Amino acid sequence: MSDLFKDKNISPMLMYETTAFSDKDYIFELKLDGIRCIAYIDTKSVVLQNKRFKDVTAIYPELASMYKCVVNRCVLDGELICLKDGKPDFYGIQKRSLMTDRFKISLAARKNPVQFVAYDILYIGKKDITALPLTERKMLLEKNVKDGNNLSISRYVEEKGKEFFELVKEQNLEGIVAKKKDGRYYIGKRTREWVKIKVMQDEDLYIFGYLPDSGGNVKDLILGFFDKDGTAVCRGKVYLGVSSEDRKLVAQYALNNKVSTPWFSQYKNAVWLKPRLKGTAHFMQQTPNGSMRQPVWKGLRDDI
């Protein structure tokens, strides 16, 4: 019989995406803007593993003492986060995750330590508890784990998902996660018992050009806007959501509206256009360089 702790081959439970809702059969947690991680914690040691089964323990030395916060050996599902101005900073944790130099890692660990936020417990003592209802696992999590040493427990609200989502939106956070109270933990599976609700925003942008595919057809749209001084500002590129109809319209427009001077130097081999076509992009937060995070094209607009 397999042992979750010894085997260390847990792939985190996944979730679908939906819109905000309220339901007495669900709890609602903050969707943390970090990196998913499984923590195997014994009485004297901690092993951290990302969702691709890579041991990342050495990258986060500040988490080595998390074992002091647990009563029994356990396996926790959670998120690695960095905080900036009191909010999770995805780009901060992403930068940490790519570090390999031990000296730089130790400096970063002291300057801006990573936190592990646990939102589920899958194993305790010598027992697999993934078949227990979520509410029971939450109680066991609170009994077995104490906040401290860069380890904390995710808090949640019951029933009032819509109200919670509006508060999260006001604070410009990533979103929320809804979880069915009586749901079990499905290792490595995507189910609708866990669903994420992201805070997204829309922006109307000009099409400054496009990146062609190998056949010369429209692939990625290059988007931007003009600031108050009339300077073109790049907002990045988008591929997802661009319909075949919109690609045809852009290609047709390009026949008589190309320009030779590049608008933005970072895109090589782009086809540049007179920026008259406008459409709407749907995306998460702005990246540090001003681009859109996870953009999706909603379509061309003929009313503006």
Side-chain angles (χ1 to χ4, degrees):
M1 186 175 178
S2 64
D3 184 292
L4 293 182
F5 195 94
K6 292 180 180 178
D7 294 344
K8 291 183 173 54
N9 60 357
I10 296 174
S11 179
M13 182 170 167
L14 303 173
M15 61 194 85
Y16 285 97
E17 189 171 342
T18 188
T19 55
F21 66 95
S22 294
D23 192 316
K24 62 181 178 58
D25 295 325
Y26 283 79
I27 63 166
F28 299 87
E29 293 177 285
L30 185 65
K31 188 177 188 304
L32 298 169
D33 209 0
I35 293 176
R36 192 79 175 272
C37 185
I38 300 294
Y40 298 86
I41 306 178
D42 212 335
T43 54
K44 294 279 184 172
S45 65
V46 176
V47 174
L48 302 172
Q49 196 175 78
N50 68 16
K51 59 185 179 183
R52 293 182 297 278
F53 306 110
K54 180 182 178 182
D55 187 330
V56 296
T57 313
I59 303 175
Y60 311 104
E62 63 269 47
L63 301 181
S65 60
M66 287 200 310
Y67 67 86
K68 296 178 181 178
C69 300
V70 303
V71 178
N72 296 294
R73 93 170 167 165
C74 59
V75 179
L76 305 178
D77 183 4
E79 202 90 4
L80 297 171
I81 64 168
C82 277
L83 295 177
K84 183 179 181 181
D85 300 325
K87 296 180 180 179
D89 175 24
F90 176 76
Y91 302 99
I93 189 64
Q94 186 181 52
K95 185 177 179 180
R96 279 294 304 275
S97 72
L98 298 174
M99 286 185 173
T100 55
D101 183 273
R102 288 186 179 181
F103 180 69
K104 290 182 179 179
I105 288 173
S106 65
L107 287 178
R110 290 195 296 269
K111 184 178 180 181
N112 189 20
V114 164
Q115 311 283 323
F116 183 90
V117 182
Y119 43 70
D120 214 327
I121 185 166
L122 317 181
Y123 179 102
I124 186 168
K126 295 183 178 181
K127 187 177 180 182
D128 175 352
I129 60 170
T130 54
L132 292 180
L134 174 63
T135 50
E136 290 187 33
R137 299 199 309 275
K138 284 289 190 182
M139 286 190 289
L140 289 171
L141 177 62
E142 292 180 7
K143 287 180 179 179
N144 195 65
V145 177
K146 299 176 182 178
D147 290 345
N149 293 90
N150 298 330
L151 171 61
S152 60
I153 298 173
S154 173
R155 272 39 182 191
Y156 59 87
V157 299
E158 298 187 48
E159 187 175 345
K160 299 183 182 296
K162 287 184 177 180
E163 293 89 339
F164 186 38
F165 180 76
E166 289 304 315
L167 287 173
V168 167
K169 191 174 181 180
E170 286 175 15
Q171 294 298 315
N172 196 31
L173 295 168
E174 190 188 7
I176 64 173
V177 175
K179 299 177 179 179
K180 202 166 185 182
K181 289 181 178 179
D182 62 358
R184 61 166 294 170
Y185 190 97
Y186 295 93
I187 293 175
K189 293 184 179 180
R190 190 182 306 276
T191 83
R192 297 194 181 278
E193 293 190 2
W194 285 19
V195 290
K196 55 188 174 183
I197 302 107
K198 293 182 180 179
V199 173
M200 304 289 284
Q201 53 187 298
D202 291 344
E203 187 172 352
D204 294 323
L205 298 164
Y206 288 105
I207 299 174
F208 281 81
Y210 65 86
L211 294 173
D213 61 18
S214 58
N217 301 307
V218 177
K219 190 177 77 168
D220 298 15
L221 303 181
I222 300 171
L223 307 176
F225 63 93
F226 291 101
D227 66 15
K228 62 181 180 181
D229 298 320
T231 302
V233 179
C234 183
R235 289 298 257 146
K237 62 181 181 177
V238 63
Y239 172 79
L240 291 176
V242 184
S243 66
S244 57
E245 182 180 352
D246 276 3
R247 294 183 200 277
K248 289 178 183 177
L249 288 170
V250 171
Q252 186 177 14
Y253 176 79
L255 293 175
N256 300 307
N257 292 282
K258 293 177 184 175
V259 297
S260 56
T261 304
W263 286 105
F264 311 119
S265 60
Q266 63 265 47
Y267 296 113
K268 309 300 180 184
N269 303 316
V271 177
W272 299 106
L273 306 173
K274 296 176 183 178
R276 293 173 183 165
L277 293 179
K278 206 168 191 180
T280 304
H282 190 58
F283 61 98
M284 292 180 64
Q285 299 99 327
Q286 179 174 294
T287 69
N289 66 2
S291 296
M292 300 171 289
R293 185 176 169 200
Q294 297 183 11
V296 177
W297 183 246
K298 292 183 72 175
L300 287 165
R301 295 191 60 172
D302 57 8
D303 58 331
I304 54 175

